[in-house]
Amino acid sequence: SASLIFDTRDDPLEPRRGFFLGADVQLSLDALGGVSYVKGFFQAAGVRRLRSDLVFVLSGRLGLASTFGEEAPLLPLPERFFAGGDYGPRGFPFDSLGPKVLGTDGKLYPTGGNAIALGGAELRYNLTRAFQLAGFVDNGNVFLEPRDLALSRLRWTTGVGVRYRTPIGPVRLDWGYILDPEPGDEGRSRFHLTIGHAF
């Protein structure tokens, strides 16, 4: 595996300006005792201070993977991409977005996939020195294979949140609302509580 990072943000925990670019590439080979596949994950984020108490953040993330040789088309389950939950799109349950299979209990379970596309925009307002309010729009989806990736199939959520600053990063409570619900979605809105920004 190899990673490349370019980061000009003024603070990785609470940025007010700058850019972040990251690329991660993994290669696994059957000859080394694993499944033969190549997997890449690329992300970019820009942070702009609009005024002393207001920051705008824009983010995009893309993951692509493929097996080769005699392997099955899909990566092993632990290596697949999943989405939904704290890091987007908010409004969906954790790791619930994308392809699903029907379980023996009659419930739908996410399978993950070999491709993922995520985007997001967030406006952060400093209410006090310790508290911050935010409004956001997220989109994204998981696809079985890279050839299935289509912008028209991205799912959309919006919402609001509050953050409390701590020395290890903000404690974040977000409420996300699904803008384009589909049959099988588990509710139309959801709360998420975690540490650190979504992007």
PDB file of all heavy atoms in Angstrom, residues 3 8 11 21 23 35 41-42 47 55 67 73 78 86 89 99 108 111 113 118 139 152-153 157 170 178 184 188 192:
ATOM      1  N   SER A   3       0.455   5.812   0.318  1.00  0.00           N
ATOM      2  CA  SER A   3      -0.405   6.966   0.543  1.00  0.00           C
ATOM      3  C   SER A   3       0.342   8.239   0.181  1.00  0.00           C
ATOM      4  O   SER A   3       1.554   8.340   0.378  1.00  0.00           O
ATOM      5  CB  SER A   3      -0.843   7.034   2.010  1.00  0.00           C
ATOM      6  OG  SER A   3      -1.593   5.898   2.378  1.00  0.00           O
ATOM      7  N   THR A   8      -2.683  21.808   3.351  1.00  0.00           N
ATOM      8  CA  THR A   8      -2.326  23.187   3.676  1.00  0.00           C
ATOM      9  C   THR A   8      -3.280  23.783   4.712  1.00  0.00           C
ATOM     10  O   THR A   8      -3.268  24.998   4.939  1.00  0.00           O
ATOM     11  CB  THR A   8      -2.347  24.070   2.416  1.00  0.00           C
ATOM     12  OG1 THR A   8      -3.691  24.167   1.921  1.00  0.00           O
ATOM     13  CG2 THR A   8      -1.442  23.506   1.335  1.00  0.00           C
ATOM     14  N   ASP A  11      -5.250  24.040  10.636  1.00  0.00           N
ATOM     15  CA  ASP A  11      -5.448  23.228  11.833  1.00  0.00           C
ATOM     16  C   ASP A  11      -6.192  21.961  11.418  1.00  0.00           C
ATOM     17  O   ASP A  11      -7.315  22.050  10.922  1.00  0.00           O
ATOM     18  CB  ASP A  11      -6.258  24.005  12.875  1.00  0.00           C
ATOM     19  CG  ASP A  11      -6.402  23.263  14.193  1.00  0.00           C
ATOM     20  OD1 ASP A  11      -6.252  22.021  14.219  1.00  0.00           O
ATOM     21  OD2 ASP A  11      -6.683  23.915  15.216  1.00  0.00           O
ATOM     22  N   LEU A  21      -5.666  17.147   0.200  1.00  0.00           N
ATOM     23  CA  LEU A  21      -5.745  16.164  -0.882  1.00  0.00           C
ATOM     24  C   LEU A  21      -5.101  14.872  -0.389  1.00  0.00           C
ATOM     25  O   LEU A  21      -4.015  14.907   0.206  1.00  0.00           O
ATOM     26  CB  LEU A  21      -5.025  16.657  -2.134  1.00  0.00           C
ATOM     27  CG  LEU A  21      -5.521  17.961  -2.762  1.00  0.00           C
ATOM     28  CD1 LEU A  21      -4.585  18.390  -3.889  1.00  0.00           C
ATOM     29  CD2 LEU A  21      -6.941  17.800  -3.273  1.00  0.00           C
ATOM     30  N   ALA A  23      -4.515  10.483  -1.330  1.00  0.00           N
ATOM     31  CA  ALA A  23      -4.659   9.326  -2.218  1.00  0.00           C
ATOM     32  C   ALA A  23      -4.067   8.107  -1.526  1.00  0.00           C
ATOM     33  O   ALA A  23      -2.944   8.164  -1.030  1.00  0.00           O
ATOM     34  CB  ALA A  23      -3.953   9.576  -3.552  1.00  0.00           C
ATOM     35  N   VAL A  35      -6.156 -12.223  -1.669  1.00  0.00           N
ATOM     36  CA  VAL A  35      -6.956 -12.128  -2.885  1.00  0.00           C
ATOM     37  C   VAL A  35      -6.308 -11.090  -3.792  1.00  0.00           C
ATOM     38  O   VAL A  35      -5.818 -10.065  -3.322  1.00  0.00           O
ATOM     39  CB  VAL A  35      -8.409 -11.716  -2.539  1.00  0.00           C
ATOM     40  CG1 VAL A  35      -9.216 -11.477  -3.793  1.00  0.00           C
ATOM     41  CG2 VAL A  35      -9.061 -12.774  -1.659  1.00  0.00           C
ATOM     42  N   PHE A  41      -8.403   4.980  -3.038  1.00  0.00           N
ATOM     43  CA  PHE A  41      -9.341   5.903  -2.402  1.00  0.00           C
ATOM     44  C   PHE A  41      -8.750   7.303  -2.465  1.00  0.00           C
ATOM     45  O   PHE A  41      -7.607   7.519  -2.045  1.00  0.00           O
ATOM     46  CB  PHE A  41      -9.603   5.510  -0.945  1.00  0.00           C
ATOM     47  CG  PHE A  41     -10.659   6.342  -0.275  1.00  0.00           C
ATOM     48  CD1 PHE A  41     -11.994   6.213  -0.640  1.00  0.00           C
ATOM     49  CD2 PHE A  41     -10.322   7.259   0.706  1.00  0.00           C
ATOM     50  CE1 PHE A  41     -12.976   6.982  -0.026  1.00  0.00           C
ATOM     51  CE2 PHE A  41     -11.292   8.034   1.325  1.00  0.00           C
ATOM     52  CZ  PHE A  41     -12.635   7.886   0.964  1.00  0.00           C
ATOM     53  N   PHE A  42      -9.518   8.242  -3.021  1.00  0.00           N
ATOM     54  CA  PHE A  42      -9.030   9.596  -3.262  1.00  0.00           C
ATOM     55  C   PHE A  42      -9.992  10.588  -2.615  1.00  0.00           C
ATOM     56  O   PHE A  42     -11.213  10.424  -2.702  1.00  0.00           O
ATOM     57  CB  PHE A  42      -8.928   9.853  -4.768  1.00  0.00           C
ATOM     58  CG  PHE A  42      -8.226   8.747  -5.508  1.00  0.00           C
ATOM     59  CD1 PHE A  42      -8.954   7.715  -6.098  1.00  0.00           C
ATOM     60  CD2 PHE A  42      -6.844   8.714  -5.594  1.00  0.00           C
ATOM     61  CE1 PHE A  42      -8.320   6.677  -6.754  1.00  0.00           C
ATOM     62  CE2 PHE A  42      -6.196   7.683  -6.254  1.00  0.00           C
ATOM     63  CZ  PHE A  42      -6.940   6.661  -6.831  1.00  0.00           C
ATOM     64  N   VAL A  47     -11.323  24.348   2.586  1.00  0.00           N
ATOM     65  CA  VAL A  47     -11.894  25.089   3.708  1.00  0.00           C
ATOM     66  C   VAL A  47     -11.651  26.575   3.467  1.00  0.00           C
ATOM     67  O   VAL A  47     -10.523  26.990   3.205  1.00  0.00           O
ATOM     68  CB  VAL A  47     -11.242  24.667   5.047  1.00  0.00           C
ATOM     69  CG1 VAL A  47     -11.925  25.377   6.213  1.00  0.00           C
ATOM     70  CG2 VAL A  47     -11.280  23.160   5.228  1.00  0.00           C
ATOM     71  N   VAL A  55     -17.241  29.550   8.532  1.00  0.00           N
ATOM     72  CA  VAL A  55     -16.338  28.767   7.677  1.00  0.00           C
ATOM     73  C   VAL A  55     -17.167  27.900   6.736  1.00  0.00           C
ATOM     74  O   VAL A  55     -18.181  27.304   7.143  1.00  0.00           O
ATOM     75  CB  VAL A  55     -15.409  27.880   8.537  1.00  0.00           C
ATOM     76  CG1 VAL A  55     -14.635  26.897   7.661  1.00  0.00           C
ATOM     77  CG2 VAL A  55     -14.440  28.738   9.325  1.00  0.00           C
ATOM     78  N   THR A  67     -10.917  -6.686  -8.698  1.00  0.00           N
ATOM     79  CA  THR A  67     -10.137  -7.923  -8.576  1.00  0.00           C
ATOM     80  C   THR A  67      -9.591  -8.294  -9.950  1.00  0.00           C
ATOM     81  O   THR A  67     -10.038  -7.775 -10.974  1.00  0.00           O
ATOM     82  CB  THR A  67     -11.005  -9.068  -8.032  1.00  0.00           C
ATOM     83  OG1 THR A  67     -12.100  -9.300  -8.944  1.00  0.00           O
ATOM     84  CG2 THR A  67     -11.551  -8.737  -6.653  1.00  0.00           C
ATOM     85  N   PRO A  73     -15.631 -11.246  -8.874  1.00  0.00           N
ATOM     86  CA  PRO A  73     -15.618  -9.805  -9.183  1.00  0.00           C
ATOM     87  C   PRO A  73     -15.564  -8.901  -7.953  1.00  0.00           C
ATOM     88  O   PRO A  73     -14.897  -7.864  -7.984  1.00  0.00           O
ATOM     89  CB  PRO A  73     -16.927  -9.594  -9.951  1.00  0.00           C
ATOM     90  CG  PRO A  73     -17.290 -10.944 -10.475  1.00  0.00           C
ATOM     91  CD  PRO A  73     -16.781 -11.929  -9.477  1.00  0.00           C
ATOM     92  N   PRO A  78     -14.657  -7.539   4.074  1.00  0.00           N
ATOM     93  CA  PRO A  78     -14.003  -6.508   4.897  1.00  0.00           C
ATOM     94  C   PRO A  78     -13.291  -5.425   4.089  1.00  0.00           C
ATOM     95  O   PRO A  78     -12.992  -4.357   4.617  1.00  0.00           O
ATOM     96  CB  PRO A  78     -12.992  -7.309   5.733  1.00  0.00           C
ATOM     97  CG  PRO A  78     -13.466  -8.710   5.687  1.00  0.00           C
ATOM     98  CD  PRO A  78     -14.113  -8.873   4.351  1.00  0.00           C
ATOM     99  N   ASP A  86     -22.160   8.602  10.278  1.00  0.00           N
ATOM    100  CA  ASP A  86     -21.478   9.784  10.812  1.00  0.00           C
ATOM    101  C   ASP A  86     -20.697  10.574   9.770  1.00  0.00           C
ATOM    102  O   ASP A  86     -20.612  11.796   9.848  1.00  0.00           O
ATOM    103  CB  ASP A  86     -20.498   9.378  11.928  1.00  0.00           C
ATOM    104  CG  ASP A  86     -21.192   8.666  13.072  1.00  0.00           C
ATOM    105  OD1 ASP A  86     -22.419   8.803  13.189  1.00  0.00           O
ATOM    106  OD2 ASP A  86     -20.501   7.988  13.840  1.00  0.00           O
ATOM    107  N   PRO A  89     -23.313   9.679   3.620  1.00  0.00           N
ATOM    108  CA  PRO A  89     -24.264  10.760   3.802  1.00  0.00           C
ATOM    109  C   PRO A  89     -25.023  10.620   5.126  1.00  0.00           C
ATOM    110  O   PRO A  89     -25.545   9.546   5.433  1.00  0.00           O
ATOM    111  CB  PRO A  89     -25.214  10.622   2.615  1.00  0.00           C
ATOM    112  CG  PRO A  89     -24.474   9.810   1.599  1.00  0.00           C
ATOM    113  CD  PRO A  89     -23.618   8.896   2.422  1.00  0.00           C
ATOM    114  N   PRO A  99     -25.918  -1.256  -2.386  1.00  0.00           N
ATOM    115  CA  PRO A  99     -26.557  -2.551  -2.659  1.00  0.00           C
ATOM    116  C   PRO A  99     -26.888  -3.313  -1.382  1.00  0.00           C
ATOM    117  O   PRO A  99     -26.155  -3.247  -0.391  1.00  0.00           O
ATOM    118  CB  PRO A  99     -25.495  -3.294  -3.482  1.00  0.00           C
ATOM    119  CG  PRO A  99     -24.590  -2.235  -4.016  1.00  0.00           C
ATOM    120  CD  PRO A  99     -24.592  -1.144  -3.004  1.00  0.00           C
ATOM    121  N   LEU A 108     -33.308  -6.461   4.817  1.00  0.00           N
ATOM    122  CA  LEU A 108     -32.280  -6.141   3.825  1.00  0.00           C
ATOM    123  C   LEU A 108     -30.980  -5.775   4.530  1.00  0.00           C
ATOM    124  O   LEU A 108     -30.971  -5.004   5.484  1.00  0.00           O
ATOM    125  CB  LEU A 108     -32.740  -4.975   2.951  1.00  0.00           C
ATOM    126  CG  LEU A 108     -33.904  -5.265   2.000  1.00  0.00           C
ATOM    127  CD1 LEU A 108     -34.379  -3.979   1.339  1.00  0.00           C
ATOM    128  CD2 LEU A 108     -33.498  -6.278   0.943  1.00  0.00           C
ATOM    129  N   THR A 111     -24.367  -4.913   1.314  1.00  0.00           N
ATOM    130  CA  THR A 111     -23.281  -5.785   0.864  1.00  0.00           C
ATOM    131  C   THR A 111     -21.975  -5.033   0.655  1.00  0.00           C
ATOM    132  O   THR A 111     -20.920  -5.641   0.521  1.00  0.00           O
ATOM    133  CB  THR A 111     -23.641  -6.462  -0.464  1.00  0.00           C
ATOM    134  OG1 THR A 111     -23.759  -5.456  -1.484  1.00  0.00           O
ATOM    135  CG2 THR A 111     -24.945  -7.225  -0.361  1.00  0.00           C
ATOM    136  N   GLY A 113     -19.507  -2.537  -1.736  1.00  0.00           N
ATOM    137  CA  GLY A 113     -19.223  -2.642  -3.159  1.00  0.00           C
ATOM    138  C   GLY A 113     -17.802  -2.241  -3.486  1.00  0.00           C
ATOM    139  O   GLY A 113     -17.013  -1.874  -2.613  1.00  0.00           O
ATOM    140  N   LEU A 118     -18.664  10.104  -2.825  1.00  0.00           N
ATOM    141  CA  LEU A 118     -19.252  10.904  -1.755  1.00  0.00           C
ATOM    142  C   LEU A 118     -18.925  12.375  -1.982  1.00  0.00           C
ATOM    143  O   LEU A 118     -17.827  12.711  -2.430  1.00  0.00           O
ATOM    144  CB  LEU A 118     -18.704  10.485  -0.384  1.00  0.00           C
ATOM    145  CG  LEU A 118     -18.965   9.053   0.086  1.00  0.00           C
ATOM    146  CD1 LEU A 118     -18.133   8.760   1.329  1.00  0.00           C
ATOM    147  CD2 LEU A 118     -20.442   8.834   0.356  1.00  0.00           C
ATOM    148  N   ASN A 139     -24.051  14.021  -0.285  1.00  0.00           N
ATOM    149  CA  ASN A 139     -24.560  13.074  -1.278  1.00  0.00           C
ATOM    150  C   ASN A 139     -23.570  11.937  -1.439  1.00  0.00           C
ATOM    151  O   ASN A 139     -22.432  12.010  -0.978  1.00  0.00           O
ATOM    152  CB  ASN A 139     -24.851  13.763  -2.624  1.00  0.00           C
ATOM    153  CG  ASN A 139     -23.604  14.285  -3.305  1.00  0.00           C
ATOM    154  OD1 ASN A 139     -22.484  14.048  -2.878  1.00  0.00           O
ATOM    155  ND2 ASN A 139     -23.798  15.016  -4.380  1.00  0.00           N
ATOM    156  N   SER A 152     -26.179  10.075 -11.427  1.00  0.00           N
ATOM    157  CA  SER A 152     -27.639  10.120 -11.292  1.00  0.00           C
ATOM    158  C   SER A 152     -28.143   9.213 -10.171  1.00  0.00           C
ATOM    159  O   SER A 152     -29.290   9.346  -9.749  1.00  0.00           O
ATOM    160  CB  SER A 152     -28.298   9.717 -12.621  1.00  0.00           C
ATOM    161  OG  SER A 152     -27.938   8.385 -12.970  1.00  0.00           O
ATOM    162  N   ARG A 153     -27.291   8.314  -9.683  1.00  0.00           N
ATOM    163  CA  ARG A 153     -27.709   7.399  -8.616  1.00  0.00           C
ATOM    164  C   ARG A 153     -27.213   7.821  -7.238  1.00  0.00           C
ATOM    165  O   ARG A 153     -27.362   7.087  -6.269  1.00  0.00           O
ATOM    166  CB  ARG A 153     -27.214   5.980  -8.943  1.00  0.00           C
ATOM    167  CG  ARG A 153     -27.883   5.367 -10.173  1.00  0.00           C
ATOM    168  CD  ARG A 153     -27.271   4.038 -10.537  1.00  0.00           C
ATOM    169  NE  ARG A 153     -27.341   3.099  -9.433  1.00  0.00           N
ATOM    170  CZ  ARG A 153     -26.679   1.933  -9.384  1.00  0.00           C
ATOM    171  NH1 ARG A 153     -25.890   1.600 -10.401  1.00  0.00           N
ATOM    172  NH2 ARG A 153     -26.795   1.127  -8.357  1.00  0.00           N
ATOM    173  N   THR A 157     -28.819  14.006   1.200  1.00  0.00           N
ATOM    174  CA  THR A 157     -29.318  14.313   2.538  1.00  0.00           C
ATOM    175  C   THR A 157     -28.938  15.743   2.900  1.00  0.00           C
ATOM    176  O   THR A 157     -28.005  16.313   2.334  1.00  0.00           O
ATOM    177  CB  THR A 157     -28.744  13.363   3.612  1.00  0.00           C
ATOM    178  OG1 THR A 157     -27.335  13.597   3.747  1.00  0.00           O
ATOM    179  CG2 THR A 157     -28.980  11.903   3.254  1.00  0.00           C
ATOM    180  N   PRO A 170     -13.738  18.245  17.817  1.00  0.00           N
ATOM    181  CA  PRO A 170     -15.104  18.563  18.214  1.00  0.00           C
ATOM    182  C   PRO A 170     -15.955  17.321  18.466  1.00  0.00           C
ATOM    183  O   PRO A 170     -15.882  16.343  17.718  1.00  0.00           O
ATOM    184  CB  PRO A 170     -15.641  19.353  17.007  1.00  0.00           C
ATOM    185  CG  PRO A 170     -14.836  18.856  15.859  1.00  0.00           C
ATOM    186  CD  PRO A 170     -13.475  18.560  16.403  1.00  0.00           C
ATOM    187  N   ILE A 178     -33.094  12.569   4.838  1.00  0.00           N
ATOM    188  CA  ILE A 178     -32.978  12.028   3.477  1.00  0.00           C
ATOM    189  C   ILE A 178     -33.908  12.791   2.543  1.00  0.00           C
ATOM    190  O   ILE A 178     -35.122  12.857   2.775  1.00  0.00           O
ATOM    191  CB  ILE A 178     -33.317  10.528   3.454  1.00  0.00           C
ATOM    192  CG1 ILE A 178     -32.363   9.758   4.374  1.00  0.00           C
ATOM    193  CG2 ILE A 178     -33.235   9.986   2.030  1.00  0.00           C
ATOM    194  CD1 ILE A 178     -32.720   8.296   4.537  1.00  0.00           C
ATOM    195  N   GLY A 184     -37.394   0.654   1.374  1.00  0.00           N
ATOM    196  CA  GLY A 184     -36.326  -0.071   2.058  1.00  0.00           C
ATOM    197  C   GLY A 184     -35.473   0.810   2.938  1.00  0.00           C
ATOM    198  O   GLY A 184     -34.705   0.308   3.751  1.00  0.00           O
ATOM    199  N   ARG A 188     -36.554   8.281   7.621  1.00  0.00           N
ATOM    200  CA  ARG A 188     -36.165   9.371   6.736  1.00  0.00           C
ATOM    201  C   ARG A 188     -35.156  10.312   7.374  1.00  0.00           C
ATOM    202  O   ARG A 188     -34.575  11.166   6.701  1.00  0.00           O
ATOM    203  CB  ARG A 188     -37.409  10.146   6.301  1.00  0.00           C
ATOM    204  CG  ARG A 188     -37.143  11.085   5.151  1.00  0.00           C
ATOM    205  CD  ARG A 188     -38.362  11.430   4.385  1.00  0.00           C
ATOM    206  NE  ARG A 188     -38.027  12.302   3.276  1.00  0.00           N
ATOM    207  CZ  ARG A 188     -38.896  12.782   2.405  1.00  0.00           C
ATOM    208  NH1 ARG A 188     -40.168  12.459   2.503  1.00  0.00           N
ATOM    209  NH2 ARG A 188     -38.498  13.579   1.435  1.00  0.00           N
ATOM    210  N   HIS A 192     -26.726  11.543  14.646  1.00  0.00           N
ATOM    211  CA  HIS A 192     -25.402  10.935  14.684  1.00  0.00           C
ATOM    212  C   HIS A 192     -24.551  11.668  15.720  1.00  0.00           C
ATOM    213  O   HIS A 192     -24.476  12.899  15.696  1.00  0.00           O
ATOM    214  CB  HIS A 192     -24.713  11.017  13.316  1.00  0.00           C
ATOM    215  CG  HIS A 192     -25.480  10.363  12.218  1.00  0.00           C
ATOM    216  ND1 HIS A 192     -25.483   8.996  12.024  1.00  0.00           N
ATOM    217  CD2 HIS A 192     -26.277  10.880  11.256  1.00  0.00           C
ATOM    218  CE1 HIS A 192     -26.242   8.707  10.990  1.00  0.00           C
ATOM    219  NE2 HIS A 192     -26.742   9.831  10.506  1.00  0.00           N
TER     220      HIS A 192
END
